[in-house]
Amino acid sequence: EAGVAQSPRYKIIEKRQSVAFWCNPISGHATLYWYQQILGQGPKLLIQFQNNGVVDDSQLPKDRFSAERLKGVDSTLKIQPAKLEDSAVYLCASSSFRTSGGYNEQFFGPGTRLTVL
Amino acid sequence: DQQVKQNSPSLSVQEGRISILNCDYTNSMFDYFLWYKKYPAEGPTFLISISSIKDKNEDGRFTVFLNKSAKHLSLHIVPSQPGDSAVYFCAATGTASKLTFGTGTRLQVTL
């Protein structure tokens, strides 16, 4: 079974430029997550999709960040314009649909390391 | 507001000895706890979990202990192996399945 795919793996941009990240989740996984991991911190959830609908985007800086998941499969995360503090690793994760109780394991991709100069 | 805390940024243990990684949480609504392991340039991978209705869960060399009254959990690795060298994240979740992560502990297992 193929894992979560992300691209690009690395990106360097100037502040105020735009950048986009792509994620392809594990086949059949209905739930997709984007996390931001700043150096020295744990991953922080930015947005969670269930199929192509947003479940939680409470921590997404909506003035500059946007995300979409068309057709409930692939997803893109965009930053426009980027700031120095956006330098981080952006992780995508997916999980199967949670039917009742318990917890559905999240599988993470390798991440995209963004450096904003 | 750091709801999940890992107060030790790093830990060094000799091969064959026990590694103990600690985690504290503040949100009493958390009912499921997980440990993730992360190697450089890779995403975190799930290691072991525990439900709040249990106080111990064991999987091979890995055991997680939960003390609900103290809002504390720990991960024990016995015996530690060089391949265990990685960053370990504690995470917690409630009914929404949203994970809240700690800041991580870098474990180095020396020969």
Side-chain angles (χ1 to χ4, degrees):
Chain A
E1 178 182 82
V4 176
Q6 289 187 248
S7 68
R9 293 295 310 275
Y10 305 90
K11 190 73 176 179
I12 301 174
I13 61 172
E14 301 274 338
K15 61 182 179 183
R16 291 188 290 275
Q17 284 187 321
S18 301
V19 65
F21 312 126
W22 173 82
C23 173
N24 182 235
I26 292 173
S27 177
H29 279 190
T31 310
L32 185 146
Y33 313 80
W34 282 103
Y35 289 86
Q36 178 193 58
Q37 185 182 5
I38 293 172
L39 186 65
Q41 299 181 21
K44 182 185 82 172
L45 180 69
L46 292 176
I47 188 167
Q48 176 184 343
F49 291 95
Q50 184 73 36
N51 294 310
N52 59 349
V54 175
V55 173
D56 183 349
D57 64 356
S58 57
Q59 298 195 86
L60 186 74
K62 299 180 186 61
D63 57 334
R64 297 183 301 106
F65 286 64
S66 64
E68 61 181 9
R69 191 183 183 198
L70 300 176
K71 301 179 183 178
V73 182
D74 293 7
S75 177
T76 56
L77 176 70
K78 297 179 182 177
I79 307 175
Q80 180 179 11
K83 292 185 175 181
L84 297 177
E85 60 260 37
D86 298 332
S87 294
V89 175
Y90 291 84
L91 295 161
C92 179
S94 69
S95 66
S96 56
F97 181 69
R98 182 177 175 187
T99 52
S100 62
Y103 172 77
N104 280 2
E105 180 183 343
Q106 294 184 26
F107 295 83
F108 285 81
T112 297
R113 180 176 295 278
L114 173 68
T115 302
V116 182
L117 302 175
Chain B
D1 176 24
Q2 194 79 30
Q3 297 186 65
V4 178
K5 301 177 185 179
Q6 292 177 258
N7 293 319
S8 298
S10 63
L11 175 67
S12 183
V13 173
Q14 273 191 321
E15 181 181 10
R17 303 274 190 151
I18 184 171
S19 295
I20 300 176
L21 292 86
N22 294 303
C23 177
D24 298 292
Y25 63 96
T26 58
N27 190 337
S28 57
M29 298 302 291
F30 289 146
D31 60 4
Y32 204 82
F33 305 88
L34 308 92
W35 285 93
Y36 276 80
K37 178 179 180 179
K38 185 181 184 305
Y39 291 117
E42 295 182 13
T45 55
F46 170 75
L47 186 60
I48 192 170
S49 64
I50 188 166
S51 165
S52 59
I53 62 173
K54 296 185 176 182
D55 55 17
K56 177 182 174 181
N57 187 27
E58 193 171 353
D59 183 2
R61 296 185 298 113
F62 303 92
T63 303
V64 57
F65 295 92
L66 175 63
N67 183 333
K68 280 186 66 179
S69 60
K71 292 190 174 67
H72 176 84
L73 63 154
S74 61
L75 173 67
H76 292 211
I77 306 173
V78 183
S80 301
Q81 299 175 355
D84 296 329
S85 297
V87 177
Y88 289 78
F89 290 100
C90 171
T93 183
T95 55
S97 77
K98 171 180 174 178
L99 284 180
T100 300
F101 284 86
T103 53
T105 296
R106 181 178 303 277
L107 173 66
Q108 183 171 5
V109 180
T110 59
L111 297 175

